[in-house]
Amino acid sequence: MGASLLRLHFHDCFVQGCDGSVLLKDTETFKGEQGALPNANSLRGFDVIENIKTHLELVCPGVVSCADIVAVAARDSVVALGGDGWEVGLGRRDSSTASLSEANSDLPGPNLDLNSLIRAFDKKGFEVDEMVVLSAAHTIGRARCLFFRTRIYNESNIDTSYAKLLRENCPFVGGDDNLSPLDITTRDTFDNAYFKDLMSKKGLFHSDQQLYNGGSTNSKVEDYAKDSSLFESDFGKAMIKMGELGILTGKQGQIRSVCSRVN
């Protein structure tokens, strides 16, 4: 669940900013972000956020936003899985809107090439090195066969034994929902093994391996693979920056009493 909560924070902040918009459920008159292609049947953790919100409302009603809960849960998930924490600024407010179109257009997909990844993160104000370090969120979590099948059957920049292992759980036809770890080395530990995997041609997604494929980001991958302290420090800094994207403060937005719907 920790990986899912970290991913939930990413998918919230990359669409309209860190405003809890991803938590809003569809209604008869409203289409939220949960049905977007990058989110449908893959985002998890909504019940965890809602449970935290319910408890907070009993203690301090109308004080803590859903957006803040998502941000703190992401940080605490990383710590629980062995990573270093970072300071999470509070005071975000929740949006009363969401954007299905922005979720479909702005969330980086698993098949992007390096230049497309750079553009996607640049659109949100991130430098190339920040894009590289944030990609290491993939050091935890699982992915569906549907999203890496093309890579393991058609690409050449992949370790042959790794590809063979993945094919056992991801057949050429069928098994779309079968899961494989994003980081084959330390699948449930938040560490720098993700970068070591890339150097061994064991990136699960096409977009992962693009970070170490003879391009401009190779050297940064090597830096993080060698120095876990540098990785942890830079990841925390980048997460602080991401957590400040497009936030609503003051009288903007609202403090939702239920995270899945507007007040």
Side-chain angles (χ1 to χ4, degrees):
M1 183 53 70
S4 296
L5 292 171
L6 178 60
R7 184 167 182 253
L8 192 63
H9 186 38
F10 269 79
H11 283 230
D12 184 29
C13 293
F14 262 67
V15 181
Q16 293 191 168
C18 310
D19 61 358
S21 61
V22 73
L23 304 174
L24 293 172
K25 290 184 178 179
D26 292 353
T27 68
E28 291 183 1
T29 59
F30 170 83
K31 288 292 182 185
E33 298 162 15
Q34 294 180 20
L37 184 60
N39 295 335
N41 302 315
S42 66
L43 277 188
R44 300 166 60 232
F46 299 108
D47 55 336
V48 175
I49 301 302
E50 204 69 77
N51 186 47
I52 295 170
K53 179 63 175 175
T54 298
H55 283 82
L56 284 171
E57 285 298 299
L58 292 174
V59 179
C60 48
V63 174
V64 183
S65 70
C66 299
D68 273 354
I69 294 172
V70 172
V72 173
R75 189 271 312 277
D76 289 356
S77 294
V78 168
V79 172
L81 293 172
D84 291 345
W86 57 89
E87 184 104 11
V88 178
L90 302 176
R92 300 170 189 79
R93 289 171 66 85
D94 300 319
S95 69
S96 57
T97 62
S99 178
L100 177 64
S101 61
E102 192 174 328
N104 277 318
S105 65
D106 286 16
L107 289 167
N111 296 314
L112 293 186
D113 61 21
L114 181 58
N115 288 333
S116 297
L117 284 169
I118 291 172
R119 286 194 297 270
F121 278 78
D122 176 70
K123 186 176 181 179
K124 304 300 175 182
F126 290 108
E127 302 293 333
V128 174
D129 287 355
E130 292 171 325
M131 179 272 290
V132 173
V133 77
L134 286 173
S135 296
H138 286 177
T139 192
I140 51 176
R142 308 288 191 273
R144 295 162 63 200
C145 166
L146 174 67
F147 296 114
F148 59 85
R149 177 183 285 116
T150 298
R151 169 159 166 71
I152 64 175
Y153 284 99
N154 298 309
E155 297 186 8
S156 58
N157 61 341
I158 184 169
D159 178 81
T160 53
S161 61
Y162 177 59
K164 182 180 179 181
L165 177 66
L166 291 170
R167 289 171 190 160
E168 293 176 2
N169 191 47
C170 182
F172 190 75
V173 177
D176 286 357
D177 293 333
N178 292 354
L179 299 176
S180 290
L182 287 158
D183 170 5
I184 191 67
T185 306
T186 56
R187 60 188 68 191
D188 294 316
T189 301
F190 193 91
D191 57 19
N192 67 336
Y194 169 81
F195 297 106
K196 298 175 184 179
D197 290 342
L198 298 185
M199 292 179 66
S200 299
K201 296 185 179 180
K202 294 179 181 178
L204 185 63
F205 290 151
H206 175 84
S207 58
D208 289 322
Q209 196 60 55
Q210 284 291 292
L211 302 181
Y212 198 79
N213 194 40
S216 60
T217 54
N218 269 31
S219 61
K220 185 52 67 173
V221 169
E222 292 169 357
D223 289 344
Y224 289 140
K226 289 184 222 175
D227 192 337
S228 60
S229 295
L230 176 67
F231 158 60
E232 294 274 11
S233 175
D234 285 0
F235 187 83
K237 292 173 185 175
M239 287 298 294
I240 290 172
K241 181 175 178 177
M242 190 185 76
E244 296 174 350
L245 290 177
I247 57 174
L248 303 174
T249 59
K251 295 183 178 179
Q252 298 173 313
Q254 59 184 231
I255 303 294
R256 290 190 218 130
S257 56
V258 177
C259 291
S260 61
R261 65 172 186 265
V262 298
N263 292 342

